[in-house]
Amino acid sequence: MSKKPATADTRHDAPGAGRRRLIVLLLGLCTLAAFLPTFQNGFVNYDDPGYLTENPHVRSGLTPGTIAWSFTTFQESNWHPLTWLSLALDVTLFGVSAPFSHGMSLLLHLASTLLLYLLLERMTGDRWPAAFVALAFGIHPLHVESVAWLSERKDVLSALFMLLALLSYAAYARTLGRSDYLKALAFFALGLLAKPMLVTVPFVLLLLDYWPLGRFRPLQGGRRGTGQAAVPLRKLVIEKIPFLLLAACSSVVTYIAQERGGAMSETGPLPFPDRAANAVISYVAYLVKAVLPADLAFFYPHRLETITATEIVISLLVLGTITALSWKLRRSHPFLITGWLLYLGML
């Protein structure tokens, strides 16, 4: 996927608009077809009781009491008030109904799929590669857990707000409009209120500055053919300070929530070398599952007793090789290093 100059963009011509509408329609139909069985799912006895079926606050619907509780509770060892409010809204609209709640998660995922296509197409100008990436995102089996399990509402909800933040940031990068910047910051804040995993977004924005936005002076030399000057690294970092402050606040609150919820055990913690070994192997395991999505589960126990030195060495070689190749090809194929660093950082 290569970024085309804005002057070559055909977004506003009639044939291009027609193709875009067709792609959006096909993406929507494929995503809905892939996850249609979700409507037949019920609730499960893992996490769903705490999130909805046995939670009196959520089951009471979107009331003033539920709203206040959502912003003050650390239930489930998390602070994600927007997720609680989303589930309470389900109850207000449909009652405690598995098909309707799963349908809402599917609609959120569908919206994210379409937003991802629009984001990539708008930033790169490459319509069909953007459509392929969005299709893979929309129907990949690795997303079944997030879409088909009610307790993972936080995943699909935070993804939606993250993509809205990235779209707003891409608009800001083009025009430097204050309103677009503030919208990106607001959507980022809402995403953190849905799931604190989005703390890495400020670094995602820096990577997008490199490619495909081409704002990174030391590496990219500006957006060729657009007349937009490159931006010094110092200014790019300063732009991210409000995002970093929000991420820091979310991290502190999440640490407190995890500690009070008992998710951070003080007895028998895993030593850092064991954690690092597991992380290295997991990076490669997810790469394999992305290509061959077999033996998927909602929970993967730590393999402390069975991790071998050979697995660790092979995993390090795989990661090192991909990193070296991506770096070597960074000028001719900048999307490789950007995509690879996004994967390493966000996982």
Side-chain angles (χ1 to χ4, degrees):
M1 183 184 288
S2 61
K3 182 178 70 62
K4 297 178 180 177
T7 54
D9 194 356
T10 59
R11 283 195 296 269
H12 299 295
D13 64 299
R19 284 192 291 269
R20 183 175 300 104
R21 285 193 292 269
L22 177 61
I23 290 172
V24 167
L25 176 62
L26 291 176
L27 283 173
L29 291 175
C30 290
T31 303
L32 287 174
F35 286 98
L36 203 57
T38 301
F39 289 99
Q40 302 174 10
N41 294 348
F43 299 118
V44 297
N45 61 4
Y46 191 88
D47 280 359
D48 280 0
Y51 274 90
L52 174 59
T53 57
E54 296 179 11
N55 187 318
H57 301 281
V58 176
R59 288 176 64 93
S60 66
L62 204 57
T63 66
T66 300
I67 294 172
W69 172 84
S70 298
F71 280 92
T72 55
T73 185
F74 290 150
Q75 185 162 326
E76 302 301 316
S77 301
N78 271 305
W79 188 71
H80 43 36
L82 207 59
T83 294
W84 294 122
L85 295 177
S86 170
L87 295 172
L89 178 61
D90 286 359
V91 175
T92 297
L93 295 176
F94 316 115
V96 182
S97 168
F100 280 109
S101 290
H102 290 312
M104 185 64 74
S105 293
L106 175 53
L107 286 177
L108 290 169
H109 177 63
L110 173 62
S112 293
T113 300
L114 302 182
L115 284 174
L116 178 60
Y117 164 69
L118 294 174
L119 173 68
L120 294 175
E121 196 267 349
R122 185 168 298 175
M123 289 195 302
T124 67
D126 283 327
R127 180 173 291 123
W128 297 109
F132 173 78
V133 173
L135 179 63
F137 174 88
I139 68 174
H140 201 287
L142 283 177
H143 274 141
V144 169
E145 177 182 323
S146 297
V147 181
W149 183 16
L150 179 72
S151 296
E152 289 304 299
R153 171 67 62 83
K154 51 187 175 288
D155 270 9
V156 291
L157 192 60
S158 63
L160 178 68
F161 284 114
M162 183 185 75
L163 288 166
L164 288 170
L166 297 184
L167 271 167
S168 299
Y169 183 78
Y172 162 75
R174 288 194 307 272
T175 65
L176 298 182
R178 180 179 298 180
S179 62
D180 289 321
Y181 181 88
L182 293 176
K183 282 192 290 186
L185 196 62
F187 284 130
F188 175 54
L190 290 172
L192 290 172
L193 292 177
K195 187 175 184 180
M197 190 197 79
L198 297 191
V199 292
T200 56
V201 162
F203 305 98
V204 171
L205 298 180
L206 275 174
L207 286 172
L208 294 181
D209 283 334
Y210 170 62
W211 184 90
L213 298 176
R215 306 177 70 218
F216 215 114
R217 176 175 291 171
L219 299 179
Q220 278 292 85
R223 292 180 60 178
R224 297 176 178 85
T226 66
Q228 177 175 318
V231 182
L233 176 60
R234 181 172 177 270
K235 183 176 180 181
L236 293 177
V237 173
I238 291 174
E239 282 181 346
K240 309 305 181 293
I241 289 178
F243 293 88
L244 289 168
L245 289 175
L246 284 177
C249 292
S250 177
S251 297
V252 170
V253 175
T254 299
Y255 181 88
I256 296 171
Q258 296 269 299
E259 189 175 44
R260 292 188 181 179
M264 302 177 64
S265 174
E266 297 180 358
T267 59
L270 289 172
F272 179 77
D274 293 323
R275 296 177 182 271
N278 182 67
V280 167
I281 292 173
S282 296
Y283 272 118
V284 177
Y286 274 107
L287 286 177
V288 173
K289 289 185 182 297
V291 179
L292 298 172
D295 299 322
L296 300 180
F298 70 97
F299 177 71
Y300 300 94
H302 195 291
R303 295 178 50 227
L304 181 60
E305 302 297 329
T306 58
I307 292 178
T308 66
T310 302
E311 286 181 284
I312 297 173
V313 170
I314 292 175
S315 297
L316 286 172
L317 286 174
V318 170
L319 296 177
T321 300
I322 297 176
T323 302
L325 287 174
S326 300
W327 180 256
K328 184 177 181 179
L329 298 171
R330 69 189 184 280
R331 297 194 184 278
S332 58
H333 299 82
F335 60 89
L336 291 176
I337 189 67
T338 297
W340 181 239
L341 292 178
L342 283 173
Y343 171 71
L344 294 179
M346 294 198 74
L347 182 61

